[in-house]
Amino acid sequence: MRTLPYGSWPSPIDAALAAAHDGRPDDVAFVGEEVWWTAPRPIEGGRRTLVRRHPDGAEEPVLPAPWNVRSRVIEYGGRPWAALMTDTGPLVVFVNFADQRLYAYEPGGGEPRPLTPVSPVGGGLRWAEPDVRGERGEVWCVLEEFTGDGPSDVRRVLAAVPLDGSAADEREAVRELTGARHRFVTGPRVSPDGRRAAWLAWDHPRMPWDGTELVVAEIGPDGTFRDARTVAGGPEESIAQADWAPDGALLHASDRTGWWNLYRDGRPLCARGEEFGGPLWKLGQRWFAPLDSGLIAVVHGRGATALGILDPETGEVVDAAGPWTEFAATLAAHGEVVVAVGASPRSAFEVVELDARTGRARVVGARHDDAVDPAYYPDPRIRTFTGPAGREIHAHLYPPHHPGCRAPDGELPPYVVWAHGGPTSRSPLVLDLEIAYFTSRGIGVAEVNYGGSTGHGREYRNRLREQWGVVDVEDCAAVALALAGEGTADRERLAVRGGSAGGWTAAASLATTDVYACGTVSYPILDLTGWGTGETHDFESKYLESLIGPYAEVPARYVERSPAEHADRVTAPFLLLQGLDDVICPPVQCERFLARMAGRGVPHAYLTFEGEGHGFRRAETMVRALEAELSLYSQVFGLNPRGIPTLALDR
């Protein structure tokens, strides 16, 4: 055991290794008896590929580079692919990121062929949640159509795309299934008898976790939707997902009691103070899947998620045995077999199969492989802290950890407080080599699921209503100061970091508190007035009405809360990271902030990345960003990491 100062411990987890393991499998589904999913490829330009698992267990990418299976609907995307098994093999329909067209592809049968046209208007035509209706020769999906050049010049409807390619150059060949009555819709779920369709809808200024409507329509013999009606939900009730049981009963997850619980034809199935749903950031997320037997596979929990089987007759849930402590919002079922995506503090996300008949769970795809000795992984702890007014704050603590190093007696470690994005989201307790990159060098990490985070019911989420930039900042500061007060962290060596909404919290923390010695701010919101009046995309363009308040009523609050308006209050060094193709938090937000920082002598660096949007996907970008962040902490905290390029700080 070597004695070395915190921050100088040698680690085999370098930035390239962390970048190579970024992302997780998603969008799982059965194609016949096979399991398929999308997977990240950071070293291939950040694209997502489609992977199939053959019956013998072999995994094979379905589409080579540069095909990128990813939708831009509502910018965060949605389920980008579907497939069915035909007599001649699988028929795949997918969205290609570069042009956002739908393509049909038969593996081994030539190149993908386009099914939809390219539109020169605004953001063009975009598609999500395809459902291949082979009996009708169509794909039913969500169509997002831009009608002008502005981010809010857009309409969304359910549409039917011909499989024969007749709409590849002809927009009029796309058959619309619904009118544009609602601003936002999810893809249709068709009942087992093919006679009804169900989907979710909502309108500005609501976000889907505020209130959605569950809509049901009859499907005519000619494939038209008729007599659409709302059967559940409303402005203060969020329906997270809907689907059909094998007997034709309508299932949905609603938070009408304050928790997302499951209902069958309006009857509660398992009334619990835990979540069976979550925030709908992407169209097509699934927290439950009905089985042929009538049982229901569920992803559920409070503060964390488990995979279980719910008996709708008794309300009993039996969870899968195994090492996984967190499951993502993606599920699929075939007969009595379920596939999901699970992870733990010792393993990254992998594709897990659960046989509901035997209770046996096993990894069937994207198996976690320890790239380094697991002894270098952090040993996290679940903590609950006390914030202002005695409110609870949930957090995950990752102390510095190294199998062969310790710090000198009496030295306290530096800590970085991580504020997650969203902000209506949360940080899962799973293995993340980006966290291990710091902890294995002797820098602690504290992930704060501040008030407003998901996983703890609607009341906890609502703490952030009109309090963004206050509650999140206070909660992060309370955790940081508590760690220093109890002797876990060095009070003089605290940092804050976050991306997107977390970047807002990090920047607001630097502008309104003296808790942190420095901070890392990635693709952030910095100017509420600009962001809330046209500088972002349509999906979140009214988000601030709940987070801050209606702009027409409280314009001064938008100014008072914005870090860009109070650049003179920022005195701590900072690193600003921004993708130049970001349309959610555009570069102008950073540029405006930096213009107001000019000449103030505060050490800082601004790194921009061409070809990157909201959130970094390319390995080379992640390596540069991570090494720059470590260099910032090293310079401010007086650390001595090895082999890290020095970040040049301007003043």
Side-chain angles (χ1 to χ4, degrees):
M1 183 69 68
R2 301 170 64 190
T3 299
L4 295 171
Y6 286 117
S8 65
W9 299 347
S11 173
I13 303 174
D14 60 15
L17 186 67
H21 289 78
D22 187 77
R24 61 173 172 82
D26 203 353
D27 308 307
V28 295
F30 283 95
V31 181
E33 300 289 333
E34 297 179 1
V35 179
W36 294 32
W37 61 90
T38 61
R41 293 291 186 265
I43 62 174
E44 297 179 20
R47 76 181 184 105
R48 289 193 73 88
T49 190
L50 188 59
V51 177
R52 68 187 292 188
R53 179 185 184 273
H54 291 279
D56 62 2
E59 296 178 20
E60 176 189 15
V62 176
L63 292 157
W67 296 103
N68 188 353
V69 185
R70 182 178 158 212
S71 169
R72 283 188 62 185
V73 166
I74 68 169
E75 292 302 343
Y76 291 107
R79 188 176 184 85
W81 75 279
L84 58 81
M85 193 66 73
T86 70
D87 292 339
T88 58
L91 170 63
V92 186
V93 173
F94 70 95
V95 179
N96 183 49
F97 182 74
D99 57 14
Q100 287 298 291
R101 299 173 85 181
L102 270 180
Y103 285 81
Y105 178 56
E106 298 176 60
E111 287 291 303
R113 53 185 178 85
L115 299 180
T116 57
V118 174
S119 170
V121 179
L125 301 174
R126 301 175 179 179
W127 315 85
E129 287 199 81
D131 179 12
V132 183
R133 311 304 298 178
E135 74 282 1
R136 294 188 182 276
E138 294 178 326
V139 183
W140 290 3
C141 51
V142 175
L143 162 61
E144 182 177 77
E145 180 174 26
F146 282 79
T147 58
D149 292 330
S152 293
D153 296 331
V154 63
R155 62 193 294 268
R156 298 176 186 88
V157 298
L158 301 182
V161 176
L163 276 169
D164 62 8
S166 58
D169 298 306
E170 189 65 47
R171 165 63 179 87
E172 287 69 26
V174 175
R175 184 169 65 91
E176 296 193 7
L177 299 170
T178 63
R181 188 181 81 174
H182 293 285
R183 190 73 171 185
F184 302 96
V185 292
T186 64
R189 304 294 298 176
V190 178
S191 61
D193 62 7
R195 297 172 61 181
R196 291 177 292 169
W199 65 93
L200 306 182
W202 68 97
D203 296 284
H204 284 321
R206 285 176 280 154
M207 299 300 287
W209 41 86
D210 296 324
T212 55
E213 298 176 21
L214 173 53
V215 183
V216 174
E218 306 299 321
I219 302 175
D222 58 352
T224 58
F225 285 14
R226 304 171 179 174
D227 303 322
R229 61 199 182 278
T230 298
V231 299
E236 297 296 328
E237 178 184 353
S238 170
I239 312 292
Q241 182 193 335
D243 209 336
W244 301 92
D247 62 0
L250 182 58
L251 306 170
H252 70 272
S254 165
D255 74 346
R256 69 188 64 166
T257 65
W259 299 87
W260 275 300
N261 282 183
L262 283 186
Y263 295 81
R264 173 186 164 96
D265 286 339
R267 176 178 63 86
L269 295 181
C270 183
R272 293 187 182 186
E274 60 180 82
E275 308 283 33
F276 289 76
L280 196 66
W281 280 103
K282 290 175 56 180
L283 304 186
Q285 289 179 285
R286 302 193 73 193
W287 291 268
F288 69 86
L291 309 183
D292 286 352
S293 62
L295 301 175
I296 306 170
V298 292
V299 168
H300 71 107
R302 183 170 184 164
T305 51
L307 173 64
I309 301 297
L310 166 64
D311 185 338
E313 297 299 322
T314 65
E316 181 183 8
V317 179
V318 178
D319 289 336
W324 313 283
T325 56
E326 185 74 38
F327 282 86
T330 180
L331 277 180
H334 178 65
E336 299 303 303
V337 180
V338 181
V339 287
V341 175
S344 78
R346 308 294 291 178
S347 60
F349 283 101
E350 48 196 0
V351 180
V352 177
E353 176 190 88
L354 171 63
D355 190 325
R357 296 162 299 192
T358 65
R360 183 191 178 201
R362 60 180 183 137
V363 177
V364 295
R367 181 181 295 275
H368 170 76
D369 183 24
D370 290 314
V372 297
D373 186 340
Y376 289 92
Y377 295 163
D379 185 17
R381 304 164 190 174
I382 300 173
R383 294 283 302 272
T384 301
F385 294 87
T386 301
R391 64 178 182 250
E392 288 187 344
I393 307 167
H394 302 287
H396 302 147
L397 204 62
Y398 298 83
H401 177 77
H402 191 291
C405 291
R406 63 183 299 275
D409 292 339
E411 182 183 1
L412 293 176
Y415 257 82
V416 184
V417 171
W418 285 27
H420 63 71
T424 310
S425 184
R426 66 183 178 90
S427 296
L429 187 66
V430 300
L431 178 64
D432 183 343
L433 291 188
E434 197 167 301
I435 292 177
Y437 177 78
F438 292 104
T439 58
S440 62
R441 285 171 168 76
I443 301 173
V445 171
E447 291 183 316
V448 181
N449 284 315
Y450 47 80
S453 301
T454 56
H456 300 280
R458 187 167 184 128
E459 182 179 352
Y460 196 83
R461 295 204 312 273
N462 284 348
R463 287 186 188 178
L464 216 55
R465 279 186 177 265
E466 300 195 2
Q467 295 297 308
W468 196 36
V470 178
V471 166
D472 50 325
V473 170
E474 289 178 346
D475 285 2
C476 287
V479 171
L481 293 175
L483 293 176
E486 70 187 25
T488 297
D490 185 340
R491 175 64 183 88
E492 303 304 316
R493 296 193 292 178
L494 297 173
V496 62
R497 71 102 86 163
S500 187
W504 154 272
T505 300
S509 297
L510 295 177
T512 60
T513 78
D514 61 357
V515 172
Y516 308 101
C518 60
T520 299
V521 181
S522 302
Y523 37 91
I525 302 166
L526 296 170
D527 175 12
L528 293 177
T529 301
W531 199 81
T533 57
E535 285 183 0
T536 191
H537 62 139
D538 185 60
F539 176 59
E540 292 180 278
S541 61
K542 304 298 181 183
Y543 197 3
L544 297 184
E545 292 207 11
S546 62
L547 293 175
I548 304 296
Y551 180 72
E553 299 175 15
V554 291
R557 191 182 294 166
Y558 282 62
V559 175
E560 178 57 32
R561 300 266 183 91
S562 295
E565 295 289 343
H566 303 290
D568 59 307
R569 301 178 184 173
V570 177
T571 58
F574 64 89
L575 168 63
L576 199 54
L577 303 167
Q578 179 67 49
L580 294 179
D581 292 347
D582 193 341
V583 298
I584 295 173
C585 296
V588 67
Q589 292 266 313
C590 292
E591 294 161 6
R592 192 175 297 137
F593 177 75
L594 290 171
R596 293 169 181 172
M597 289 292 303
R600 295 196 52 250
V602 177
H604 68 277
Y606 180 43
L607 304 183
T608 60
F609 303 95
E610 293 186 2
E612 291 283 15
H614 195 65
F616 301 147
R617 296 174 179 271
R618 300 180 177 183
E620 60 269 26
T621 301
M622 291 184 276
V623 168
R624 178 75 175 104
L626 204 52
E627 291 182 341
E629 183 178 356
L630 179 57
S631 179
L632 172 71
Y633 302 152
S634 300
Q635 295 179 57
V636 174
F637 295 157
L639 311 179
N640 184 31
R642 305 179 184 185
I644 304 299
T646 299
L647 174 69
L649 296 175
D650 299 323
R651 292 182 181 268

